[in-house]
């Protein structure tokens, strides 16, 4: 590996500078992505065609010179592999025609195997070959609670009231489904590692919808099983808005915890402890600012995290209307800084 900064930072080893990559670095912010995308029938075709998935995975490595690539896919491939196909509706987002309502619905779901997601496995193999050791390749999956929400709600939601109603009224069935998602996710991520993924990240995008005790019972329990299953490669858990879970996340069997921009850096370090690398956590909206502000805030963030156990990133994904030059300036500022 020519550039293994991010792997060393995740393991808590010494680094010459802070590594950086960006959530949603591949995607609509890049004109070259939009060009490939417009040739395709839709988002799913892009995800399911390894040559194209590989091409758009590498685009941000070329455009921004980031220290990692993340395989171009989506967290929703897991519900689909289990038996609930999704559609990506233009300008609206994901939509599931069938959702989970009853015990029978849950019993009918398959536990996904890596072969059910062969297109992702093939995309990882191809991308590893094309990257040729330039930077590490990150594999990922959605965390069980976030995937559960999509399977119950059928789409994104403001309140997650259907998914939460399920937790309150049918907790045993909720656990049955969460365990099936967890087993599928472990199988899938094992397949990603076998195909060459150098690092893994779990996205719990809807963590903030739960209370602390619900988060323990219905989310952390399963995240913890997943973390325990991976010793081979560094593992990151990113739970958006999960302020209340930070102390417990410090006890997970993983290497890195992702922070969003609403989490105070020093307070998070105190809560999570010194045995984890922290990833994040700039507000993506900073990148709408003028250049001086972007540079100043990026450096301030680096200084707050300090020189050890930090992987620079945003606190959530890039927005499609951000300018490429501003994104590049943020990455360059991080890469030029020395402690
Ligand atoms: O660059 C990368 O980060 C890798 C690719 C990636 C995508 N989705 C591609 C994508 C990753 C890691 C994801 C994860 C994902 N998908 C999450 C977790 C991270 C988060 O943002 O909280 C979630 C919740 C999803 C579900 C999802 N996929 C939504 C809600 C949407 C629609 C919103 C939108 O941005 O349009 C998607 C679509 C999607 N996934 C796009 C991309 C590039 C846009 C699709 C397009 O090109 O039209």
């Amino acid at each position: 590996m020519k550039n293994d900064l991010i792997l060393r930072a995740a393991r808590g080893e010494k680094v010459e500078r802070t590594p950086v990559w960006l959530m949603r670095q591949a995607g609509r912010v890049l004109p070259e992505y939009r060009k490939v995308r417009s040739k395709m029938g839709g988002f799913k075709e892009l995800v399911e065609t390894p040559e194209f998935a590989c091409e758009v995975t590498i685009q941000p490595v070329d455009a921004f010179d980031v220290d990692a690539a993340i395989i171009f896919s989506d967290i929703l491939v897991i519900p689909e592999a289990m038996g609930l196909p999704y559609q990506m509706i233009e300008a609206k987002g994901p939509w599931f025609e069938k959702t989970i309502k009853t015990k029978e619905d849950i019993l009918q779901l398959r536990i996904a195997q890596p072969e059910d997601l062969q297109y992702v496995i093939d995309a990882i193999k191809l991308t590893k070959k094309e990257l040729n050791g330039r930077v590490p390749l990150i594999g990922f999956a959605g965390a069980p609670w976030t995937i559960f929400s999509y399977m119950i709600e059928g789409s994104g939601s403001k309140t997650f009231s259907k998914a939460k109603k399920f937790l309150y009224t049918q907790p045993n069935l909720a656990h049955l489904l969460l365990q099936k998602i967890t087993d599928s996710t472990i199988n899938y991520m094992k397949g990603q590692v076998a195909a060459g993924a150098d690092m893994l990240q779990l996205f719990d995008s809807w963590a903030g919808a739960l209370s602390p005790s619900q988060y323990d019972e219905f989310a952390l329990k399963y995240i913890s099983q997943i973390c325990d299953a991976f010793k081979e490669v560094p593992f990151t858990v990113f739970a958006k808005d999960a302020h209340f879970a930070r102390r417990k996340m410090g006890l997970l069997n993983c290497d890195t915890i992702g922070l969003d921009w609403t989490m105070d850096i020093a307070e998070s370090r105190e809560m999570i402890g010194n045995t984890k690398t922290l990833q994040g956590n700039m507000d993506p909206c900073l990148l709408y600012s003028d250049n001086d502000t972007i540079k100043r805030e990026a450096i301030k963030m680096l200084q707050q995290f300090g020189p050890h156990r930090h992987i620079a990133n945003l606190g959530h994904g890039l927005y499609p209307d951000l300018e490429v030059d501003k994104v590049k300036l943020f990455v360059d500022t991080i890469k030029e800084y020395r402690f």
Side-chain angles (χ1 to χ4, degrees), residues 21-28 33 37 43 46 70-76 88 90 92-94 140 146 150 203 205-206 238 316-317 320:
W21 70 282
L22 307 170
M23 290 189 274
R24 287 284 171 97
Q25 61 190 19
R28 289 165 296 182
Y33 170 83
R37 172 82 166 74
F43 173 77
L46 187 48
I70 178 161
I71 191 66
F72 191 83
S73 185
D74 203 89
I75 62 170
L76 303 173
M88 198 58 82
E90 207 59 53
K92 283 194 84 179
F140 71 91
T146 291
Y150 276 109
F203 288 88
S205 305
W206 312 137
F238 172 61
H316 203 182

mmCIF file of all heavy atoms in Angstrom, residues 21-28 33 37 43 46 70-76 88 90 92-94 140 146 150 203 205-206 238 316-317 320, ligand 1:
data_model
loop_
_atom_site.group_PDB
_atom_site.id
_atom_site.type_symbol
_atom_site.label_atom_id
_atom_site.label_comp_id
_atom_site.label_asym_id
_atom_site.label_seq_id
_atom_site.Cartn_x
_atom_site.Cartn_y
_atom_site.Cartn_z
ATOM 1 N N TRP A 21 -10.617 11.771 4.309
ATOM 2 C CA TRP A 21 -11.515 11.381 3.219
ATOM 3 C C TRP A 21 -12.861 11.992 3.564
ATOM 4 O O TRP A 21 -13.021 12.576 4.653
ATOM 5 C CB TRP A 21 -11.603 9.843 3.059
ATOM 6 C CG TRP A 21 -12.309 9.102 4.149
ATOM 7 C CD1 TRP A 21 -11.811 8.788 5.392
ATOM 8 C CD2 TRP A 21 -13.657 8.583 4.131
ATOM 9 N NE1 TRP A 21 -12.751 8.110 6.132
ATOM 10 C CE2 TRP A 21 -13.897 7.971 5.377
ATOM 11 C CE3 TRP A 21 -14.677 8.583 3.176
ATOM 12 C CZ2 TRP A 21 -15.129 7.364 5.699
ATOM 13 C CZ3 TRP A 21 -15.887 7.972 3.496
ATOM 14 C CH2 TRP A 21 -16.106 7.376 4.745
ATOM 15 N N LEU A 22 -13.846 11.892 2.673
ATOM 16 C CA LEU A 22 -15.118 12.566 2.905
ATOM 17 C C LEU A 22 -16.278 11.615 2.668
ATOM 18 O O LEU A 22 -16.316 10.925 1.639
ATOM 19 C CB LEU A 22 -15.266 13.765 1.952
ATOM 20 C CG LEU A 22 -14.105 14.755 1.968
ATOM 21 C CD1 LEU A 22 -14.245 15.743 0.829
ATOM 22 C CD2 LEU A 22 -14.021 15.479 3.301
ATOM 23 N N MET A 23 -17.224 11.595 3.598
ATOM 24 C CA MET A 23 -18.414 10.788 3.366
ATOM 25 C C MET A 23 -19.136 11.370 2.147
ATOM 26 O O MET A 23 -19.196 12.595 1.990
ATOM 27 C CB MET A 23 -19.293 10.780 4.615
ATOM 28 C CG MET A 23 -18.635 9.978 5.746
ATOM 29 S SD MET A 23 -19.716 9.708 7.157
ATOM 30 C CE MET A 23 -19.414 11.218 8.078
ATOM 31 N N ARG A 24 -19.680 10.492 1.297
ATOM 32 C CA ARG A 24 -20.312 10.875 0.022
ATOM 33 C C ARG A 24 -19.358 11.628 -0.906
ATOM 34 O O ARG A 24 -19.772 12.517 -1.640
ATOM 35 C CB ARG A 24 -21.557 11.748 0.261
ATOM 36 C CG ARG A 24 -22.756 11.008 0.792
ATOM 37 C CD ARG A 24 -23.428 10.197 -0.317
ATOM 38 N NE ARG A 24 -24.450 9.329 0.226
ATOM 39 C CZ ARG A 24 -25.740 9.622 0.257
ATOM 40 N NH1 ARG A 24 -26.177 10.736 -0.240
ATOM 41 N NH2 ARG A 24 -26.602 8.772 0.777
ATOM 42 N N GLN A 25 -18.066 11.241 -0.851
ATOM 43 C CA GLN A 25 -17.110 11.911 -1.742
ATOM 44 C C GLN A 25 -17.363 11.560 -3.207
ATOM 45 O O GLN A 25 -17.049 12.338 -4.098
ATOM 46 C CB GLN A 25 -15.665 11.568 -1.346
ATOM 47 C CG GLN A 25 -15.312 10.087 -1.423
ATOM 48 C CD GLN A 25 -13.957 9.761 -0.796
ATOM 49 O OE1 GLN A 25 -13.418 10.531 0.002
ATOM 50 N NE2 GLN A 25 -13.374 8.633 -1.177
ATOM 51 N N ALA A 26 -17.910 10.363 -3.441
ATOM 52 C CA ALA A 26 -18.313 9.984 -4.793
ATOM 53 C C ALA A 26 -19.762 10.408 -4.934
ATOM 54 O O ALA A 26 -20.567 10.139 -4.071
ATOM 55 C CB ALA A 26 -18.183 8.482 -4.984
ATOM 56 N N GLY A 27 -20.095 11.063 -6.018
ATOM 57 C CA GLY A 27 -21.494 11.432 -6.175
ATOM 58 C C GLY A 27 -21.673 12.757 -6.872
ATOM 59 O O GLY A 27 -20.761 13.252 -7.527
ATOM 60 N N ARG A 28 -22.856 13.312 -6.651
ATOM 61 C CA ARG A 28 -23.317 14.395 -7.513
ATOM 62 C C ARG A 28 -22.509 15.671 -7.446
ATOM 63 O O ARG A 28 -22.633 16.531 -8.300
ATOM 64 C CB ARG A 28 -24.792 14.678 -7.215
ATOM 65 C CG ARG A 28 -25.674 13.552 -7.720
ATOM 66 C CD ARG A 28 -27.046 13.622 -7.127
ATOM 67 N NE ARG A 28 -26.957 13.432 -5.689
ATOM 68 C CZ ARG A 28 -28.003 13.394 -4.885
ATOM 69 N NH1 ARG A 28 -29.199 13.570 -5.358
ATOM 70 N NH2 ARG A 28 -27.847 13.199 -3.606
ATOM 71 N N TYR A 33 -19.033 12.382 -12.152
ATOM 72 C CA TYR A 33 -20.038 11.419 -11.666
ATOM 73 C C TYR A 33 -21.359 11.631 -12.416
ATOM 74 O O TYR A 33 -21.961 10.693 -12.908
ATOM 75 C CB TYR A 33 -20.276 11.583 -10.155
ATOM 76 C CG TYR A 33 -21.477 10.790 -9.645
ATOM 77 C CD1 TYR A 33 -21.359 9.447 -9.324
ATOM 78 C CD2 TYR A 33 -22.735 11.387 -9.516
ATOM 79 C CE1 TYR A 33 -22.457 8.712 -8.884
ATOM 80 C CE2 TYR A 33 -23.841 10.665 -9.080
ATOM 81 C CZ TYR A 33 -23.696 9.324 -8.757
ATOM 82 O OH TYR A 33 -24.786 8.599 -8.331
ATOM 83 N N ARG A 37 -23.418 8.932 -14.536
ATOM 84 C CA ARG A 37 -24.769 8.688 -14.039
ATOM 85 C C ARG A 37 -25.812 8.913 -15.136
ATOM 86 O O ARG A 37 -26.777 8.164 -15.245
ATOM 87 C CB ARG A 37 -24.978 9.639 -12.859
ATOM 88 C CG ARG A 37 -26.335 9.723 -12.268
ATOM 89 C CD ARG A 37 -26.573 8.594 -11.299
ATOM 90 N NE ARG A 37 -27.743 8.876 -10.497
ATOM 91 C CZ ARG A 37 -28.985 8.797 -10.956
ATOM 92 N NH1 ARG A 37 -29.206 8.439 -12.199
ATOM 93 N NH2 ARG A 37 -30.007 9.062 -10.168
ATOM 94 N N PHE A 43 -29.641 5.092 -10.668
ATOM 95 C CA PHE A 43 -28.651 4.892 -9.612
ATOM 96 C C PHE A 43 -28.345 3.409 -9.401
ATOM 97 O O PHE A 43 -27.185 3.016 -9.264
ATOM 98 C CB PHE A 43 -29.192 5.532 -8.328
ATOM 99 C CG PHE A 43 -28.371 5.260 -7.110
ATOM 100 C CD1 PHE A 43 -27.175 5.926 -6.881
ATOM 101 C CD2 PHE A 43 -28.800 4.318 -6.176
ATOM 102 C CE1 PHE A 43 -26.424 5.662 -5.752
ATOM 103 C CE2 PHE A 43 -28.048 4.057 -5.038
ATOM 104 C CZ PHE A 43 -26.858 4.732 -4.826
ATOM 105 N N LEU A 46 -25.990 1.822 -11.838
ATOM 106 C CA LEU A 46 -24.614 2.260 -11.552
ATOM 107 C C LEU A 46 -24.010 1.388 -10.443
ATOM 108 O O LEU A 46 -22.893 0.877 -10.556
ATOM 109 C CB LEU A 46 -24.677 3.735 -11.143
ATOM 110 C CG LEU A 46 -23.428 4.551 -10.923
ATOM 111 C CD1 LEU A 46 -22.447 4.374 -12.054
ATOM 112 C CD2 LEU A 46 -23.814 6.025 -10.801
ATOM 113 N N ILE A 70 -13.997 4.933 -0.993
ATOM 114 C CA ILE A 70 -15.085 4.148 -0.387
ATOM 115 C C ILE A 70 -15.888 3.549 -1.528
ATOM 116 O O ILE A 70 -16.215 4.256 -2.483
ATOM 117 C CB ILE A 70 -15.964 4.988 0.577
ATOM 118 C CG1 ILE A 70 -17.111 4.136 1.149
ATOM 119 C CG2 ILE A 70 -16.489 6.261 -0.078
ATOM 120 C CD1 ILE A 70 -17.742 4.710 2.414
ATOM 121 N N ILE A 71 -16.159 2.265 -1.433
ATOM 122 C CA ILE A 71 -16.784 1.572 -2.561
ATOM 123 C C ILE A 71 -18.154 2.196 -2.862
ATOM 124 O O ILE A 71 -18.939 2.448 -1.941
ATOM 125 C CB ILE A 71 -16.892 0.044 -2.329
ATOM 126 C CG1 ILE A 71 -17.286 -0.672 -3.612
ATOM 127 C CG2 ILE A 71 -17.838 -0.314 -1.194
ATOM 128 C CD1 ILE A 71 -16.261 -0.609 -4.714
ATOM 129 N N PHE A 72 -18.421 2.445 -4.118
ATOM 130 C CA PHE A 72 -19.679 3.070 -4.501
ATOM 131 C C PHE A 72 -20.802 2.048 -4.454
ATOM 132 O O PHE A 72 -20.865 1.111 -5.254
ATOM 133 C CB PHE A 72 -19.602 3.695 -5.893
ATOM 134 C CG PHE A 72 -20.794 4.559 -6.156
ATOM 135 C CD1 PHE A 72 -20.831 5.857 -5.691
ATOM 136 C CD2 PHE A 72 -21.902 4.050 -6.800
ATOM 137 C CE1 PHE A 72 -21.962 6.643 -5.874
ATOM 138 C CE2 PHE A 72 -23.033 4.835 -6.984
ATOM 139 C CZ PHE A 72 -23.051 6.138 -6.531
ATOM 140 N N SER A 73 -21.691 2.235 -3.493
ATOM 141 C CA SER A 73 -22.826 1.332 -3.318
ATOM 142 C C SER A 73 -23.853 2.059 -2.472
ATOM 143 O O SER A 73 -23.852 3.281 -2.439
ATOM 144 C CB SER A 73 -22.357 0.043 -2.639
ATOM 145 O OG SER A 73 -23.414 -0.879 -2.569
ATOM 146 N N ASP A 74 -24.707 1.329 -1.800
ATOM 147 C CA ASP A 74 -25.650 1.967 -0.888
ATOM 148 C C ASP A 74 -25.943 1.018 0.259
ATOM 149 O O ASP A 74 -25.792 -0.201 0.121
ATOM 150 C CB ASP A 74 -26.956 2.334 -1.602
ATOM 151 C CG ASP A 74 -27.665 3.458 -0.860
ATOM 152 O OD1 ASP A 74 -27.384 4.627 -1.162
ATOM 153 O OD2 ASP A 74 -28.462 3.163 0.046
ATOM 154 N N ILE A 75 -26.383 1.584 1.393
ATOM 155 C CA ILE A 75 -26.720 0.717 2.529
ATOM 156 C C ILE A 75 -27.956 -0.148 2.227
ATOM 157 O O ILE A 75 -28.165 -1.165 2.857
ATOM 158 C CB ILE A 75 -26.934 1.515 3.835
ATOM 159 C CG1 ILE A 75 -28.093 2.494 3.709
ATOM 160 C CG2 ILE A 75 -25.665 2.263 4.232
ATOM 161 C CD1 ILE A 75 -28.517 3.133 5.041
ATOM 162 N N LEU A 76 -28.754 0.257 1.241
ATOM 163 C CA LEU A 76 -30.023 -0.426 0.985
ATOM 164 C C LEU A 76 -29.880 -1.722 0.195
ATOM 165 O O LEU A 76 -30.875 -2.418 -0.053
ATOM 166 C CB LEU A 76 -30.976 0.527 0.273
ATOM 167 C CG LEU A 76 -31.194 1.805 1.082
ATOM 168 C CD1 LEU A 76 -32.004 2.804 0.295
ATOM 169 C CD2 LEU A 76 -31.868 1.498 2.415
ATOM 170 N N MET A 88 -34.678 3.748 -6.277
ATOM 171 C CA MET A 88 -34.149 5.070 -5.939
ATOM 172 C C MET A 88 -34.899 6.063 -6.812
ATOM 173 O O MET A 88 -34.721 6.090 -8.023
ATOM 174 C CB MET A 88 -32.640 5.099 -6.204
ATOM 175 C CG MET A 88 -31.909 6.214 -5.508
ATOM 176 S SD MET A 88 -32.082 6.246 -3.696
ATOM 177 C CE MET A 88 -30.870 5.039 -3.187
ATOM 178 N N GLU A 90 -35.841 9.488 -8.351
ATOM 179 C CA GLU A 90 -35.144 10.734 -8.687
ATOM 180 C C GLU A 90 -35.662 11.889 -7.827
ATOM 181 O O GLU A 90 -36.864 12.083 -7.706
ATOM 182 C CB GLU A 90 -35.411 11.007 -10.188
ATOM 183 C CG GLU A 90 -34.346 11.801 -10.900
ATOM 184 C CD GLU A 90 -32.958 11.146 -10.852
ATOM 185 O OE1 GLU A 90 -32.846 9.963 -11.225
ATOM 186 O OE2 GLU A 90 -32.010 11.842 -10.441
ATOM 187 N N LYS A 92 -36.163 12.222 -4.891
ATOM 188 C CA LYS A 92 -36.931 11.897 -3.683
ATOM 189 C C LYS A 92 -36.160 11.001 -2.726
ATOM 190 O O LYS A 92 -36.227 11.164 -1.517
ATOM 191 C CB LYS A 92 -38.268 11.229 -4.054
ATOM 192 C CG LYS A 92 -39.298 12.247 -4.544
ATOM 193 C CD LYS A 92 -40.684 11.671 -4.576
ATOM 194 C CE LYS A 92 -41.380 11.738 -3.228
ATOM 195 N NZ LYS A 92 -42.735 11.179 -3.305
ATOM 196 N N GLY A 93 -35.447 10.021 -3.310
ATOM 197 C CA GLY A 93 -34.696 9.114 -2.456
ATOM 198 C C GLY A 93 -35.233 7.705 -2.515
ATOM 199 O O GLY A 93 -36.026 7.364 -3.393
ATOM 200 N N PRO A 94 -34.812 6.861 -1.561
ATOM 201 C CA PRO A 94 -35.161 5.440 -1.631
ATOM 202 C C PRO A 94 -36.637 5.171 -1.321
ATOM 203 O O PRO A 94 -37.244 5.874 -0.518
ATOM 204 C CB PRO A 94 -34.298 4.802 -0.543
ATOM 205 C CG PRO A 94 -33.585 5.889 0.160
ATOM 206 C CD PRO A 94 -33.945 7.198 -0.431
ATOM 207 N N PHE A 140 -18.490 -0.837 3.411
ATOM 208 C CA PHE A 140 -19.437 -0.318 4.409
ATOM 209 C C PHE A 140 -20.760 -1.066 4.371
ATOM 210 O O PHE A 140 -21.064 -1.795 3.430
ATOM 211 C CB PHE A 140 -19.679 1.187 4.207
ATOM 212 C CG PHE A 140 -20.492 1.511 2.970
ATOM 213 C CD1 PHE A 140 -21.883 1.601 3.038
ATOM 214 C CD2 PHE A 140 -19.880 1.709 1.752
ATOM 215 C CE1 PHE A 140 -22.645 1.898 1.904
ATOM 216 C CE2 PHE A 140 -20.617 2.006 0.609
ATOM 217 C CZ PHE A 140 -22.001 2.099 0.684
ATOM 218 N N THR A 146 -30.771 1.374 11.500
ATOM 219 C CA THR A 146 -31.063 2.208 10.328
ATOM 220 C C THR A 146 -31.679 1.361 9.210
ATOM 221 O O THR A 146 -32.651 1.772 8.562
ATOM 222 C CB THR A 146 -29.779 2.946 9.870
ATOM 223 O OG1 THR A 146 -29.451 3.916 10.871
ATOM 224 C CG2 THR A 146 -29.954 3.642 8.532
ATOM 225 N N TYR A 150 -35.657 1.493 7.481
ATOM 226 C CA TYR A 150 -36.061 1.491 6.071
ATOM 227 C C TYR A 150 -36.997 0.324 5.761
ATOM 228 O O TYR A 150 -37.928 0.453 4.964
ATOM 229 C CB TYR A 150 -34.833 1.426 5.156
ATOM 230 C CG TYR A 150 -34.223 2.783 4.901
ATOM 231 C CD1 TYR A 150 -32.999 3.137 5.449
ATOM 232 C CD2 TYR A 150 -34.882 3.724 4.111
ATOM 233 C CE1 TYR A 150 -32.435 4.388 5.217
ATOM 234 C CE2 TYR A 150 -34.332 4.977 3.875
ATOM 235 C CZ TYR A 150 -33.109 5.292 4.426
ATOM 236 O OH TYR A 150 -32.572 6.528 4.206
ATOM 237 N N PHE A 203 -22.747 2.633 9.108
ATOM 238 C CA PHE A 203 -23.454 3.921 9.162
ATOM 239 C C PHE A 203 -24.764 3.762 9.932
ATOM 240 O O PHE A 203 -25.680 3.086 9.446
ATOM 241 C CB PHE A 203 -23.823 4.399 7.753
ATOM 242 C CG PHE A 203 -22.671 4.882 6.912
ATOM 243 C CD1 PHE A 203 -21.949 4.009 6.125
ATOM 244 C CD2 PHE A 203 -22.335 6.224 6.892
ATOM 245 C CE1 PHE A 203 -20.907 4.456 5.321
ATOM 246 C CE2 PHE A 203 -21.282 6.683 6.094
ATOM 247 C CZ PHE A 203 -20.571 5.798 5.305
ATOM 248 N N SER A 205 -27.310 6.056 10.483
ATOM 249 C CA SER A 205 -27.748 7.413 10.152
ATOM 250 C C SER A 205 -28.923 7.880 10.996
ATOM 251 O O SER A 205 -29.082 9.070 11.228
ATOM 252 C CB SER A 205 -28.124 7.472 8.678
ATOM 253 O OG SER A 205 -27.044 7.012 7.903
ATOM 254 N N TRP A 206 -29.762 6.948 11.442
ATOM 255 C CA TRP A 206 -30.968 7.359 12.185
ATOM 256 C C TRP A 206 -30.852 7.071 13.684
ATOM 257 O O TRP A 206 -31.850 6.955 14.382
ATOM 258 C CB TRP A 206 -32.212 6.684 11.607
ATOM 259 C CG TRP A 206 -32.337 6.766 10.114
ATOM 260 C CD1 TRP A 206 -32.714 5.755 9.287
ATOM 261 C CD2 TRP A 206 -32.103 7.899 9.264
ATOM 262 N NE1 TRP A 206 -32.710 6.195 7.976
ATOM 263 C CE2 TRP A 206 -32.341 7.502 7.935
ATOM 264 C CE3 TRP A 206 -31.709 9.220 9.492
ATOM 265 C CZ2 TRP A 206 -32.194 8.360 6.846
ATOM 266 C CZ3 TRP A 206 -31.553 10.078 8.402
ATOM 267 C CH2 TRP A 206 -31.806 9.647 7.111
ATOM 268 N N PHE A 238 -20.109 4.902 12.830
ATOM 269 C CA PHE A 238 -20.573 6.288 12.752
ATOM 270 C C PHE A 238 -22.067 6.308 13.056
ATOM 271 O O PHE A 238 -22.874 5.813 12.264
ATOM 272 C CB PHE A 238 -20.300 6.862 11.352
ATOM 273 C CG PHE A 238 -20.930 8.215 11.126
ATOM 274 C CD1 PHE A 238 -20.580 9.294 11.920
ATOM 275 C CD2 PHE A 238 -21.871 8.408 10.124
ATOM 276 C CE1 PHE A 238 -21.165 10.544 11.726
ATOM 277 C CE2 PHE A 238 -22.459 9.651 9.917
ATOM 278 C CZ PHE A 238 -22.106 10.720 10.720
ATOM 279 N N HIS A 316 -21.033 14.570 8.233
ATOM 280 C CA HIS A 316 -21.993 13.756 7.474
ATOM 281 C C HIS A 316 -21.590 13.916 6.019
ATOM 282 O O HIS A 316 -20.547 14.507 5.742
ATOM 283 C CB HIS A 316 -23.425 14.230 7.732
ATOM 284 C CG HIS A 316 -24.464 13.164 7.473
ATOM 285 N ND1 HIS A 316 -25.807 13.389 7.608
ATOM 286 C CD2 HIS A 316 -24.357 11.869 7.070
ATOM 287 C CE1 HIS A 316 -26.488 12.272 7.321
ATOM 288 N NE2 HIS A 316 -25.621 11.342 6.995
ATOM 289 N N GLY A 317 -22.403 13.434 5.086
ATOM 290 C CA GLY A 317 -21.985 13.444 3.684
ATOM 291 C C GLY A 317 -21.965 14.821 3.037
ATOM 292 O O GLY A 317 -22.615 15.753 3.508
ATOM 293 N N PRO A 320 -24.901 17.762 -2.614
ATOM 294 C CA PRO A 320 -24.649 17.773 -4.060
ATOM 295 C C PRO A 320 -24.356 19.168 -4.630
ATOM 296 O O PRO A 320 -23.713 19.277 -5.659
ATOM 297 C CB PRO A 320 -25.950 17.237 -4.669
ATOM 298 C CG PRO A 320 -26.756 16.682 -3.560
ATOM 299 C CD PRO A 320 -26.203 17.162 -2.269
HETATM 300 O O1 LIG B 1 -19.124 8.262 -1.484
HETATM 301 C C1 LIG B 1 -19.675 7.538 -0.643
HETATM 302 O O2 LIG B 1 -19.886 7.899 0.530
HETATM 303 C C2 LIG B 1 -20.021 6.094 -1.038
HETATM 304 C C3 LIG B 1 -21.327 5.850 -1.484
HETATM 305 C C4 LIG B 1 -22.550 5.913 -0.575
HETATM 306 C C5 LIG B 1 -23.836 6.189 -1.104
HETATM 307 N N1 LIG B 1 -24.757 5.992 -0.118
HETATM 308 C C6 LIG B 1 -24.109 6.561 -2.499
HETATM 309 C C7 LIG B 1 -25.359 7.282 -2.813
HETATM 310 C C8 LIG B 1 -22.714 5.626 0.782
HETATM 311 C C9 LIG B 1 -21.655 5.307 1.843
HETATM 312 C C10 LIG B 1 -24.117 5.671 1.051
HETATM 313 C C11 LIG B 1 -24.699 5.344 2.364
HETATM 314 C C12 LIG B 1 -26.101 5.676 2.628
HETATM 315 N N2 LIG B 1 -27.182 5.552 1.789
HETATM 316 C C13 LIG B 1 -26.583 6.093 3.886
HETATM 317 C C14 LIG B 1 -25.739 6.252 5.125
HETATM 318 C C15 LIG B 1 -24.984 7.515 5.133
HETATM 319 C C16 LIG B 1 -25.835 8.747 5.342
HETATM 320 O O3 LIG B 1 -25.888 9.556 4.412
HETATM 321 O O4 LIG B 1 -26.399 8.886 6.433
HETATM 322 C C17 LIG B 1 -27.971 6.281 3.767
HETATM 323 C C18 LIG B 1 -28.922 6.751 4.851
HETATM 324 C C19 LIG B 1 -28.329 5.919 2.441
HETATM 325 C C20 LIG B 1 -29.698 5.886 1.835
HETATM 326 C C21 LIG B 1 -29.799 6.792 0.679
HETATM 327 N N3 LIG B 1 -29.175 6.595 -0.539
HETATM 328 C C22 LIG B 1 -30.554 7.984 0.594
HETATM 329 C C23 LIG B 1 -31.398 8.571 1.701
HETATM 330 C C24 LIG B 1 -30.384 8.485 -0.703
HETATM 331 C C25 LIG B 1 -31.098 9.651 -1.325
HETATM 332 C C26 LIG B 1 -30.588 10.950 -0.879
HETATM 333 C C27 LIG B 1 -29.719 11.562 -1.921
HETATM 334 O O5 LIG B 1 -28.606 11.997 -1.558
HETATM 335 O O6 LIG B 1 -30.160 11.611 -3.081
HETATM 336 C C28 LIG B 1 -29.466 7.624 -1.377
HETATM 337 C C29 LIG B 1 -28.973 7.788 -2.756
HETATM 338 C C30 LIG B 1 -27.510 7.839 -2.966
HETATM 339 N N4 LIG B 1 -26.620 6.984 -2.383
HETATM 340 C C31 LIG B 1 -26.815 8.729 -3.837
HETATM 341 C C32 LIG B 1 -25.466 8.389 -3.744
HETATM 342 C C33 LIG B 1 -24.323 8.995 -4.499
HETATM 343 C C34 LIG B 1 -27.452 9.777 -4.741
HETATM 344 C C35 LIG B 1 -28.061 9.043 -5.875
HETATM 345 C C36 LIG B 1 -27.959 9.702 -7.234
HETATM 346 O O7 LIG B 1 -26.890 9.709 -7.864
HETATM 347 O O8 LIG B 1 -29.018 10.139 -7.696
#
